Amino acid sequence: MVSLLRKLVPPSEYRKLLGAVVVIAANAGGAWTPIGDVTTTMLWIHGQITTLKIMQGLFIPSTVSLAVPLALMSLTSEANGSSEKSSSLLSSEQVAPRGQLVLGVGIGALMFVPVFKALTGLPPFMGMLLGLGILWILTDAIHYGDSERQRLKVPQALSRIDTQGILFFLGILLSVGSLESAGILRQLANYLDANIPNADLIASAIGVASAIIDNVPLVAATMGMYDLTSFPQDSDFWQLVAFCAGTGGSMLIIGSAAGVAFMGVEKVDFFWYFRKVSGFAFAGYAAGIISYLAVQNLHLSLPTSLVEIPFISGS
């Protein structure tokens, strides 16, 4: 999305603000579905949340956490004075029909993963590998015999996988697993329970910490500290952890993968984001938590007719 903005909007302070909105939107949008964010996926795989409940519970807070900073940022002088129109709307750059087919199948494969888990009971990674296999066959068939398009096939895409990132997350999870086996996480949970008796405050603190520390080890540690006997499946605590860990990273540019990518592409520094965006992101984060607690107290949620599909409700 930031790359698209670079083509549509000329270099300016306004484009940087739009990129910051992309970061906030990416983190907010990933919090309310089981496949939208790494931490939400972790909670879903290990049984802390289910598809229907997380979508019902977090859709409204996620929307609020984006709408509040967006509304506040739209009132700033940078946004009002620099919203120039761009005449180059990439009319000459169109996606080939084959590209549209591959994109559609790829998105469909991602959306099929919760369905696959609900129908078969198999781990979600098997559904993801099934989708990859379908994409592999499709791209091989589309580009068969065309030597110039070998780079568009799945094997070439797999060769560009961020192996270091995968090993980084593996190391994190192994380290957290060691702490859990040693009983350290249980002791930390007891300490937090004794000093912060409110579970909502614990979840909120996890979100604030995720702005500084990567949210994957934080959520993994939380899962090691509290099991399903402490907080049952789909409890308010797990939903709030999913929301806070997903959206809390927007408060600092280093707090999420989206922010780090934005920093690299747009060459935005830490202090610019802190001055221009962090306050708005924190307002959205706080408003999202307040809206979640209000929704739970009022027993409101996403209308059931929109999300209660048979295969989803069984997950």
Side-chain angles (χ1 to χ4, degrees):
M1 290 300 298
V2 173
S3 298
L4 181 61
L5 283 176
R6 289 170 63 87
K7 294 185 177 182
L8 293 175
V9 183
S12 61
E13 191 81 356
Y14 178 60
R15 189 172 80 181
K16 290 182 180 180
L17 288 175
L18 289 178
V21 172
V22 168
V23 172
I24 297 173
N27 291 328
W32 68 278
T33 69
I35 59 172
D37 184 81
V38 177
T39 52
T40 315
T41 303
M42 290 168 56
L43 292 168
W44 175 55
I45 290 175
H46 289 86
Q48 277 81 6
I49 59 175
T50 58
T51 304
L52 175 62
K53 293 296 183 181
I54 196 69
M55 293 174 68
Q56 285 183 318
L58 295 188
F59 177 78
I60 294 175
S62 296
T63 304
V64 170
S65 70
L66 171 61
V68 168
L70 186 60
L72 294 175
M73 291 173 72
S74 67
L75 301 176
T76 62
S77 58
E78 291 93 340
N80 286 328
S82 306
S83 56
E84 56 263 7
K85 305 284 185 180
S86 177
S87 58
S88 58
L89 294 178
L90 307 178
S91 57
S92 60
E93 297 186 20
Q94 297 181 354
V95 180
R98 290 181 294 185
Q100 295 176 359
L101 175 62
V102 172
L103 177 63
V105 172
I107 294 175
L110 288 173
M111 296 177 66
F112 177 71
V113 173
V115 183
F116 176 87
K117 180 179 183 292
L119 292 177
T120 65
L122 296 173
F125 79 88
M126 297 188 69
M128 193 67 74
L129 290 178
L130 174 62
L132 176 63
I134 294 172
L135 270 178
W136 196 320
I137 295 172
L138 177 64
T139 55
D140 274 13
I142 288 176
H143 305 303
Y144 178 76
D146 192 341
S147 58
E148 296 181 356
R149 290 182 168 269
Q150 295 301 311
R151 61 184 178 82
L152 299 177
K153 293 184 178 181
V154 169
Q156 290 296 318
L158 292 177
S159 68
R160 298 191 294 271
I161 284 179
D162 183 13
T163 308
Q164 292 183 346
I166 294 175
L167 294 176
F168 169 73
F169 286 118
L170 176 61
I172 286 175
L173 296 177
L174 289 174
S175 300
V176 171
S178 301
L179 294 174
E180 181 181 359
S181 299
I184 295 176
L185 295 182
R186 186 70 257 175
Q187 295 176 13
L188 179 58
N190 293 334
Y191 175 81
L192 290 176
D193 289 339
N195 293 274
I196 310 178
N198 191 315
D200 296 336
L201 289 178
I202 295 176
S204 302
I206 290 171
V208 174
S210 72
I212 304 171
I213 306 171
D214 189 84
N215 57 1
V216 171
L218 283 173
V219 172
T222 305
M223 292 164 57
M225 289 160 54
Y226 303 102
D227 52 25
L228 292 176
T229 58
S230 302
F231 297 102
Q233 187 181 63
D234 288 323
S235 65
D236 291 351
F237 175 75
W238 293 121
Q239 291 194 9
L240 200 56
V241 165
F243 172 79
C244 292
T247 59
S250 299
M251 288 186 283
L252 294 177
I253 197 170
I254 60 172
S256 66
V260 173
F262 170 55
M263 182 168 58
V265 174
E266 276 291 328
K267 303 296 184 281
V268 173
D269 62 72
F270 174 87
F271 293 104
W272 179 91
Y273 190 93
F274 184 78
R275 292 194 317 270
K276 301 285 188 178
V277 182
S278 292
F280 299 131
F282 176 76
Y285 174 75
I289 294 175
I290 293 172
S291 67
Y292 175 80
L293 297 176
V295 164
Q296 297 306 309
N297 290 330
L298 296 174
H299 302 291
L300 298 175
S301 65
L302 186 67
T304 306
S305 59
L306 295 180
V307 294
E308 192 164 47
I309 305 171
F311 62 73
I312 291 181
S313 60
S315 60

